[in-house]
């Protein structure tokens, strides 16, 4: 009969062999956590390898993503579409098994992990989504949303500050279906962590409001199983199970040392380890009886069919709730979405309002929330400044998860990673907010959203030196260029309430990219447009004002569009025929056809001037060597906004002077 030790050793063998064949990787953590994984995946995890996207499955996150061979081995053994050849192709070009788990590469990988601490933060988001959806759709008779979120994490995840941000909030919200397993092996790449990591982790998590199950032997199946049962029985607190493990378990000479953390064991050590574990099989060889014990296809299919029967009964008794749940699971917008939104945009254009784009954003949120109850907002503090609440917003609370708003506190990094988890879970459209300057705290999580190509809407206000007296610590300069140049990320910086509404519409509809919406603190003048111009906003850049003949093209975004229009009027009085191009999204504009882009920027016009209160260099690709940029080449200063704009050259007089000098230079 196959023992549980044999089943865990299958993980160890595959992990050792995969890392050795790739000649790189991390075998220690998979070998150390194999016993925990065997208990969780075979005794508790609700999943269906034949349908990895079954909505009511348990979510499993490997936060210590460097131990990716652990996850790949589990997926392969359980019956997912991940072959032994895929495992042999570990870390190779074009494989399903990259060095760290990548969302979308292999079935069953719930999120991209690797940057430590972000996986546990994603898991917090998944647990929030489960609890919110359960509050919305479950009835006194039927629970249609009912699953756990499990996460493995290591010392490195606990050292990263983001784990404090996310886990603190998880405790405050009482996420009882979040269960984390701490791989307490005391080893990192540098060696024994006690020299630089002496936190009392038990007290730390107890202070957050977590249930902590300490002192679990990570190699004792009975203790692990008892701990999981205890965790599952406490639905009012998230649980941290502290598992004492031996990194590289089974290796005679490298177990318990950093030698097995981030490098292959070596062929001789693998041979000795397999002998020590009484594993009598060759490289990548798994006996049929072990495959049979591990395979979860039959049990997974039964669990999903049981849920489908529950859902069928639910659909008969709760028709409207079922229709809404189905729409959300399918990630569909209401049928009237486009027509209703387009009519609203026309009303905005016909009823001008000179308001800050942050206020226009709040108005957009108010309008969208009426049509999309799945819109779930939040802010890292600053909601009165970001203007992210609306008339029907209701904060999630420990004992009432029926709301649609999350107060993240001063946790920008944690917020952004949590939103990634909410988005990955499905059923909600999440957004978060902070000042644009503080996207720096959150940048790596936003980069992960871009890497995964998932929807994550970030509202960044106070977008320039226009922030004013708070000074250069709060005034963003290089951040917009940073966002625009991040692959897969779409950034919008609208110039008035109409462009703001269009940017929000684009963000809601874009399911395969994160979106950064950049808004002003100060009021902006609404621009005049015809219907054709209104339609062209969605193309990212369009002709806002024009002349019969074009001597000069001015390109601007956000608060500088109004300046460009004023300057064009002054230039016309001096005989310079000027076209003003508003370019709220360079990312979207760049994706348009060559024909359209040329119709806007006119390749034969050399005189081009870009104006934006951000770093200048970005705009050189649009103005070329013959053009010029009025932008920022230094940090800001502390002063009222109008004084700052004057000081840094964002005035009609300076725009006219720079334009005339450029035209004269190009004549020569």
């Amino acid at each position: 009969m196959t023992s549980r030790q044999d089943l865990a050793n299958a993980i160890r063998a595959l992990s050792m062999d995969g890392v050795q064949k790739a000649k790189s990787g991390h075998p220690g953590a998979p070998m150390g956590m194999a016993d925990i994984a065997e208990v969780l995946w075979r005794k508790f995890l609700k999943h269906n390898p034949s349908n990895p996207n079954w909505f009511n499955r348990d979510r499993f996150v490997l936060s210590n993503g460097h131990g990716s061979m652990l996850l790949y081995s589990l997926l392969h053994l359980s019956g997912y579409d991940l072959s032994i050849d895929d495992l042999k192709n570990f870390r190779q070009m074009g494989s399903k098994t990259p060095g760290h788990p990548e969302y979308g590469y292999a079935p069953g990988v719930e999120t991209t992990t690797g940057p430590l601490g972000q996986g546990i933060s994603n898991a917090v988001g998944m647990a929030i989504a489960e609890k919110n959806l359960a509050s919305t759709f479950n009835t006194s008779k039927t629970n249609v949303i009912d699953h756990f979120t499990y996460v493995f994490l290591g010392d490195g995840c606990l050292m990263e500050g983001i784990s404090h941000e996310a886990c603190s909030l998880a405790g405050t919200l009482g996420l009882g279906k979040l269960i984390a397993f701490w791989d307490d092996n005391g080893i990192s790449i540098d060696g024994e962590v006690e020299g630089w990591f002496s936190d009392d982790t038990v007290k730390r998590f107890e202070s957050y409001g977590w249930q902590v199950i300490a002192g679990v032997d990570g190699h004792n199946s009975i203790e692990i199983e008892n701990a999981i049962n205890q965790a599952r029985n406490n639905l009012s607190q998230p649980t941290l199970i502290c598992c004492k493990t031996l990194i590289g378990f089974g290796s005679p000479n490298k177990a318990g040392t950093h030698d097995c953390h981030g490098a292959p064991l070596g062929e001789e050590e693998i041979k000795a380890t397999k002998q020590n574990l009484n594993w009598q099989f060759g490289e990548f060889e798994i006996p049929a009886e072990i495959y049979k014990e591990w395979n979860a296809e039959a049990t997974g299919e039964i669990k999903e069919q049981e849920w489908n029967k529950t859902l069928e009964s639910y659909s008969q008794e709760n028709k409207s709730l079922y229709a809404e749940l189905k729409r959300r699971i399918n990630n569909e917008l209401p049928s009237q979405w486009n027509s209703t939104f387009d009519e609203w945009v026309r009303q905005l254009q016909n009823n001008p309002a000179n308001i800050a784009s942050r206020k226009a954003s709040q108005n957009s949120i108010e309008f969208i929330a009426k049509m999309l109850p799945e819109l779930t907002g939040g802010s890292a503090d600053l909601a009165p400044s970001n203007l992210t609440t609306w008339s029907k917003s209701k904060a999630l609370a420990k004992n009432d998860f029926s709301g649609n708003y999350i107060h993240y506190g001063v946790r920008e990094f944690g917020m952004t990673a949590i939103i990634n988890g909410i988005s990955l879970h499905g059923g909600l459209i999440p957004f978060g907010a902070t000042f644009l300057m503080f996207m720096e705290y959150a940048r790596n999580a936003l980069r992960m959203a871009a890497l995964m190509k998932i929807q994550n809407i970030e509202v960044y206000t106070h977008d320039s030196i226009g922030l004013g007296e708070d000074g250069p610590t709060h005034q963003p300069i290089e951040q917009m260029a940073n966002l625009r140049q991040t692959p897969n990320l779409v950034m919008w910086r609208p110039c008035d309430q109409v462009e703001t509404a269009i940017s929000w519409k684009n963000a809601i509809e874009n399911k395969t990219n994160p979106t950064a919406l950049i808004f002003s603190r100060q009021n902006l003048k609404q621009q005049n447009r015809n219907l054709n111009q209104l339609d062209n906003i969605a193309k990212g850049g369009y002709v806002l004002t024009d002349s019969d003949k074009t001597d000069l093209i001015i390109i601007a975004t956000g608060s500088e569009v109004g300046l460009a229009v004023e300057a064009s009027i002054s230039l016309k009085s001096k005989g310079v025929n000027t076209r003003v191009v508003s370019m709220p999204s360079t990312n979207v504009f760049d994706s348009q056809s060559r024909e359209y882009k040329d119709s806007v920027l006119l390749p034969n016009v050399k005189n081009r001037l870009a104006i934006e209160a951000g770093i200048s260099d970005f705009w050189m690709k649009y103005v070329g060597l013959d053009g010029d940029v009025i932008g920022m080449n230094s940090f800001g200063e502390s002063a009222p906004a109008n004084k700052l704009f004057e000081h840094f050259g964002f005035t009609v007089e300076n725009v006219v002077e720079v334009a005339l000098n450029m035209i004269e230079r190009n004549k020569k």
Side-chain angles (χ1 to χ4, degrees):
M1 182 176 177
T2 304
S3 69
R4 300 188 78 167
Q5 188 70 55
D6 289 332
L7 297 171
N9 286 342
I11 297 172
R12 295 185 173 103
L14 289 173
S15 298
M16 285 188 289
D17 290 342
V19 171
Q20 186 64 37
K21 191 173 189 301
K23 295 183 172 59
S24 77
H26 300 72
M31 296 170 71
M33 298 194 79
D35 297 303
I36 306 168
E38 186 273 327
V39 175
L40 175 63
W41 276 63
R42 292 188 63 254
K43 291 289 184 178
F44 295 96
L45 194 69
K46 181 173 66 177
H47 63 125
N48 183 3
S50 300
N51 183 13
N53 297 319
W54 169 34
F55 196 75
N56 201 45
R57 69 191 181 278
D58 289 338
R59 270 56 168 186
F60 175 80
V61 174
L62 185 70
S63 189
N64 46 344
H66 54 271
S68 56
M69 273 304 302
L70 171 63
L71 179 54
Y72 299 146
S73 299
L74 287 165
L75 294 171
H76 169 72
L77 291 167
S78 297
Y80 285 79
D81 183 19
L82 198 68
S83 69
I84 198 70
D85 287 333
D86 290 322
L87 270 60
K88 291 178 181 178
N89 211 22
F90 179 52
R91 289 187 165 227
Q92 304 309 301
M93 179 68 74
S95 74
K96 291 183 180 180
T97 51
H100 293 84
E102 300 278 359
Y103 177 70
Y105 282 56
V109 175
E110 299 282 5
T111 180
T112 297
T113 55
L116 295 174
Q118 291 204 53
I120 176 63
S121 305
N122 296 163
V124 171
M126 293 172 186
I128 287 173
E130 190 276 341
K131 194 168 183 179
N132 177 257
L133 291 169
S135 177
T136 302
F137 292 103
N138 290 354
T139 66
S140 58
K141 184 177 179 181
T142 308
N143 289 342
V144 288
I145 305 297
D146 182 15
H147 69 77
F148 286 86
T149 300
Y150 299 101
V151 56
F152 284 2
L153 60 105
D155 293 321
C157 294
L158 295 177
M159 284 186 252
E160 289 286 1
I162 188 175
S163 69
H164 163 71
E165 295 183 24
C167 294
S168 169
L169 185 61
T172 298
L173 293 176
L175 300 178
K177 289 187 176 179
L178 174 64
I179 301 175
F181 298 79
W182 171 29
D183 180 27
D184 181 16
N185 62 41
I187 298 293
S188 71
I189 287 179
D190 279 0
E192 298 180 8
V193 301
E194 61 184 12
W196 50 86
F197 182 52
S198 57
D199 304 15
D200 190 329
T201 299
V202 171
K203 289 182 180 177
R204 170 186 164 186
F205 274 78
E206 286 176 344
S207 76
Y208 293 155
W210 286 53
Q211 172 182 228
V212 180
I213 303 173
V216 175
D217 182 349
H219 304 296
N220 185 311
S221 298
I222 301 300
E223 288 191 26
I224 297 165
E225 190 168 335
N226 289 339
I228 296 173
N229 278 319
Q230 183 180 340
R232 286 166 58 94
N233 287 333
N234 184 347
L235 297 181
S236 62
Q237 293 175 287
T239 297
L240 178 70
I241 301 175
C242 305
C243 299
K244 194 65 184 176
T245 64
L246 184 68
I247 190 171
F249 182 93
S251 171
N253 301 302
K254 296 186 177 182
T257 74
H258 69 105
D259 292 332
C260 65
H261 184 289
L265 294 181
E267 292 181 4
E268 289 303 315
E269 187 66 15
I270 288 176
K271 183 178 178 181
T273 302
K274 289 182 177 179
Q275 185 175 355
N276 190 38
L277 294 171
N278 195 29
W279 185 261
Q280 302 171 8
F281 311 102
E283 184 183 38
F284 293 105
E285 182 184 356
I286 303 294
E289 59 268 24
I290 288 182
Y291 271 128
K292 183 179 179 181
E293 289 291 329
W294 264 108
N295 191 279
E297 291 175 275
T299 56
E301 189 66 30
I302 291 170
K303 289 175 182 177
E304 183 174 355
Q305 286 177 4
E306 289 173 350
W307 184 73
N308 287 336
K309 289 178 182 177
T310 299
L311 199 61
E312 175 63 27
S313 173
Y314 178 87
S315 70
Q316 299 301 316
E317 299 169 1
N318 308 278
K319 287 183 169 56
S320 60
L321 275 177
Y322 172 74
E324 177 66 10
L325 176 60
K326 184 179 178 182
R327 180 183 70 80
R328 294 210 208 170
I329 289 175
N330 293 335
N331 211 9
E332 298 171 346
L333 294 171
S335 58
Q336 73 276 18
W337 165 257
N338 276 316
S339 59
T340 305
F341 205 103
D342 291 347
E343 176 58 31
W344 181 62
V345 169
R346 286 191 289 270
Q347 290 176 13
L348 291 178
Q349 186 62 56
N350 294 332
N351 295 276
N354 299 335
I355 57 178
S357 54
R358 61 172 173 160
K359 177 59 180 176
S361 169
Q362 186 178 45
N363 294 342
S364 296
I365 295 168
E366 180 78 37
F367 182 82
I368 292 167
K370 293 175 183 177
M371 283 193 287
L372 303 179
E374 66 265 39
L375 187 70
T376 304
S379 183
D381 208 47
L382 300 174
S385 295
N386 297 141
L387 302 184
T388 47
T389 56
W390 62 98
S391 62
K392 300 295 184 181
S393 60
K394 176 185 175 183
L396 302 185
K398 184 174 184 177
N399 297 316
D400 184 2
F401 248 69
S402 63
N404 51 18
Y405 194 86
I406 302 170
H407 287 288
Y408 287 100
V410 187
R411 301 181 177 100
E412 296 88 355
F413 195 3
M415 172 185 72
T416 310
I418 287 169
I419 288 172
N420 287 346
I422 294 172
S423 180
L424 287 161
H425 181 280
L428 300 172
I429 299 177
F431 74 86
T434 185
F435 287 1
L436 176 56
M437 186 64 244
F438 302 135
M439 61 75 63
E440 295 288 358
Y441 286 131
R443 166 142 182 79
N444 197 261
L446 192 59
R447 182 179 186 271
M448 295 294 279
L451 191 64
M452 291 188 278
K453 300 179 183 178
I454 60 172
Q455 186 172 45
N456 178 331
I457 302 171
E458 293 296 330
V459 173
Y460 295 136
T461 68
H462 297 63
D463 65 351
S464 71
I465 55 173
L467 181 147
E469 292 86 346
D470 275 340
T473 60
H474 283 51
Q475 293 165 6
I477 301 297
E478 71 277 22
Q479 284 65 40
M480 287 189 288
N482 184 317
L483 291 167
R484 287 180 176 123
Q485 293 180 24
T486 301
N488 303 328
L489 188 145
V490 177
M491 196 200 96
W492 289 81
R493 187 181 184 230
C495 76
D496 63 11
Q497 67 167 349
V498 176
E499 286 190 359
T500 297
I502 297 298
S503 69
W504 260 106
K505 185 173 189 283
N506 181 276
I508 294 293
E509 292 174 351
N510 194 339
K511 305 297 185 181
T512 56
N513 301 91
T515 303
L517 301 174
I518 314 298
F519 299 126
S520 72
R521 177 195 185 194
Q522 70 273 29
N523 288 344
L524 306 178
K525 181 180 179 181
Q526 180 164 322
Q527 301 301 317
N528 295 320
R529 297 177 186 85
N530 57 37
L531 289 177
N532 184 59
Q533 290 169 315
L534 209 57
D535 290 340
N536 285 338
I537 294 172
K539 296 178 180 178
Y542 63 102
V543 179
L544 181 62
T545 68
D546 208 2
S547 303
D548 294 335
K549 175 190 173 186
T550 304
D551 303 315
L552 167 71
I553 298 174
I554 300 179
I555 310 166
T557 77
S559 54
E560 288 70 70
V561 170
L563 172 62
V565 171
E566 289 183 42
S568 72
I569 296 170
S570 181
L571 284 162
K572 185 177 181 180
S573 70
K574 299 179 185 300
V576 179
N577 298 302
T578 304
R579 166 178 286 193
V580 174
V581 172
S582 177
M583 197 175 288
S585 178
T586 61
N587 306 108
V588 174
F589 180 76
D590 288 348
S591 70
Q592 302 303 315
S593 68
R594 171 55 59 189
E595 181 183 16
Y596 178 76
K597 288 186 285 188
D598 285 349
S599 74
V600 173
L601 293 182
L602 302 177
N604 61 321
V605 177
K606 293 194 301 181
N607 298 316
R608 299 185 186 187
L609 175 62
I611 312 173
E612 185 176 70
I615 202 74
S616 297
D617 286 354
F618 171 82
W619 290 98
M620 295 306 296
K621 74 180 205 176
Y622 296 103
V623 302
L625 296 177
D626 296 316
D628 213 334
V629 181
I630 296 175
M632 296 295 296
N633 298 301
S634 68
F635 294 118
E637 297 287 348
S638 180
N642 62 329
K643 297 294 184 183
L644 289 167
F645 281 123
E646 181 181 351
H647 175 75
F648 287 105
F650 296 96
T651 64
V652 170
E653 294 75 19
N654 188 53
V655 173
V656 171
E657 181 181 351
V658 171
L660 292 175
N661 287 340
M662 176 182 60
I663 292 169
E664 188 62 29
R665 183 179 71 240
N666 285 334
K667 283 182 181 178
K668 295 178 181 179

